[in-house]
Amino acid sequence: MGQSLDVLRTCDGSDGHDAKMKPTTNATRGSPTWDDDVVVNCAALEEGVKSVVASANRGGARISDEVLLNHELLQYARQGNLRGVSEALDKGAWTETRRPLVMKPQKPDAGKRGNGDEPAVVGMTPIMFAAQKGSVDCVKRLLQARAEVNAVEEDGWSALHFACKEGNLQVCQSLLECKADPALMNIDEQRPEDVADEDCRLERSGKDD
């Protein structure tokens, strides 16, 4: 692509859990943030990517444009950057990409149906990141590009779970309008409304009265 490494300044969820700020049994509002928890992992991934790119420049293994483009889409979705998300999609980025730097394929084979046991469920998709960020514009753009609204990651969390957890009501509405399933259960047998922020629940309860 002739791009700089700016797009690789942050990792793409390399261990399947680092990007999720999900509650644990003893979770408190003072718990460490995602940035505190995974700075070492992200730094290690970034150094690894730089090493591979350097190798490519010397004629070794090459990181494809497709990998970089999918990684770029994830980062823009995580940031809530509508322009970046749109440009990446227009260039052909895959809406269901999760960990493009470490997982293959980058896209499914044309005309091939999934067999139900593909390993691509590890990590978060762009729409999950955008929902967690609370970017309704990015969510709508991804839905327009036919992103899978009910995709789940390895713990069974969907975009609607993430939106509810963060109290992003507009995002929840946009997802539900596009047939997000409010009955989806994660591995802890929690539906999206079960993980909703307490303040969000109170607000919703007040509107229902």
Side-chain angles (χ1 to χ4, degrees):
M1 283 186 179
Q3 298 174 335
S4 70
L5 285 179
D6 289 350
V7 70
L8 303 175
R9 285 180 177 171
T10 55
C11 71
D12 66 345
S14 59
D15 71 356
H17 291 274
D18 52 13
K20 300 190 287 283
M21 294 181 286
K22 300 191 296 192
T24 59
T25 303
N26 298 317
T28 64
R29 292 186 180 276
S31 298
T33 64
W34 176 82
D35 290 330
D36 296 330
D37 291 339
V38 299
V39 62
V40 174
N41 287 340
C42 286
L45 178 59
E46 181 179 344
E47 287 305 312
V49 171
K50 288 181 179 179
S51 175
V52 174
V53 172
S55 175
N57 291 336
R58 295 193 299 270
R62 180 175 179 270
I63 294 183
S64 71
D65 291 349
E66 188 176 28
V67 170
L68 291 174
L69 185 59
N70 285 338
H71 181 80
E72 190 174 319
L73 175 60
L74 280 172
Q75 299 315 310
Y76 285 135
R78 173 181 282 155
Q79 297 161 11
N81 184 329
L82 176 60
R83 180 176 178 180
V85 165
S86 293
E87 290 181 351
L89 289 172
D90 289 343
K91 292 176 184 176
W94 185 28
T95 58
E96 307 312 308
T97 188
R98 294 174 186 254
R99 300 166 60 201
L101 296 174
V102 295
M103 295 185 70
K104 291 180 174 55
Q106 295 301 314
K107 287 185 179 181
D109 292 337
K112 180 180 179 181
R113 294 182 179 274
N115 57 17
D117 58 2
E118 297 174 355
V121 295
V122 178
M124 293 167 63
T125 62
I127 199 168
M128 294 178 197
F129 279 122
Q132 184 181 57
K133 178 67 175 178
S135 175
V136 66
D137 290 334
C138 286
V139 167
K140 287 181 177 179
R141 179 66 183 88
L142 286 159
L143 289 170
Q144 182 184 34
R146 300 183 181 277
E148 175 52 60
V149 70
N150 288 314
V152 297
E153 44 76 85
E154 66 273 21
D155 290 331
W157 281 56
S158 65
L160 189 57
H161 278 91
F162 286 108
C164 285
K165 172 61 180 70
E166 300 302 323
N168 298 322
L169 299 180
Q170 284 186 302
V171 173
C172 289
Q173 181 177 2
S174 295
L175 292 169
L176 289 168
E177 288 174 352
C178 287
K179 300 185 179 181
D181 186 354
L184 277 178
M185 294 272 195
N186 63 19
I187 61 171
D188 296 317
E189 298 186 351
Q190 296 172 311
R191 295 169 299 178
E193 66 175 349
D194 296 328
V195 302
D197 180 86
E198 184 176 352
D199 293 336
C200 177
R201 288 183 185 180
L202 291 173
E203 182 176 346
R204 178 179 175 179
S205 176
K207 289 181 178 180
D208 292 339
D209 291 341

